Amino acid sequence: MANAVIYWSATGNTEAMAQAVAEGAGVKAVTFSEFDGDLAALDAVAFGCPAMGAEELEDSEVEPFFAANESKLAGKKVALFGSYDWGDGEWMRLWADRVKAAGGELVDEGLICNLTPDDEAIAKCKALGEKIK
């Protein structure tokens, strides 16, 4: 199965999650700006982004990339993850709804972690990665 782990991180929290998801998936995590593949060619993908602003996706890299590629998610396994510092996870629920609306097969409902991931969160990230392996 061809898969990828693509993320954006400002503080390193979502990056730590991405590294654990990638370990579980058996791939190298790359940032949105580093990804040079074609989502259409993948069987599964994990996207990581922290909550930004009023619980939104990061708007300079993540949102434009996701909006441009949503149509390529139909029939693919899609995992979502990210860290947050405030709110209740609304950005993840909205992101999950977009994946479902695009026809993606959502793996879990989106894994969120408050601030720095602890050992339990890292274990959940690895398990999430294994689901898209």
Side-chain angles (χ1 to χ4, degrees):
M1 176 185 288
N3 61 15
V5 176
I6 308 167
Y7 73 95
W8 185 90
S9 184
T11 63
N13 294 337
T14 299
E15 180 177 10
M17 295 176 77
Q19 298 304 330
V21 172
E23 182 180 331
V27 297
K28 179 181 182 262
V30 296
T31 63
F32 280 91
S33 63
E34 293 171 333
F35 182 74
D36 61 0
D38 181 7
L39 288 182
L42 299 175
D43 298 306
V45 62
F47 294 114
C49 180
M52 302 294 291
E55 288 207 74
E56 303 162 338
L57 294 177
E58 189 277 331
D59 64 2
S60 67
E61 288 182 37
V62 181
E63 179 57 43
F65 178 97
F66 196 78
N69 288 284
E70 275 178 269
S71 64
K72 297 178 182 178
L73 299 179
K76 298 186 186 317
K77 285 185 174 183
V78 180
L80 302 175
F81 62 92
S83 63
Y84 69 101
D85 184 17
W86 62 89
D88 66 358
E90 180 183 20
W91 100 101
M92 188 60 68
R93 291 190 299 276
L94 295 173
W95 201 10
D97 288 346
R98 288 174 68 182
V99 168
K100 292 179 208 172
E105 180 188 322
L106 192 64
V107 176
D108 295 330
E109 288 298 315
L111 178 59
I112 62 174
C113 169
N114 185 251
L115 298 172
T116 304
D118 59 15
D119 291 344
E120 180 183 351
I122 292 296
K124 288 180 180 178
C125 289
K126 288 178 184 175
L128 184 65
E130 289 173 8
K131 292 179 181 179
I132 66 159
K133 194 171 190 175

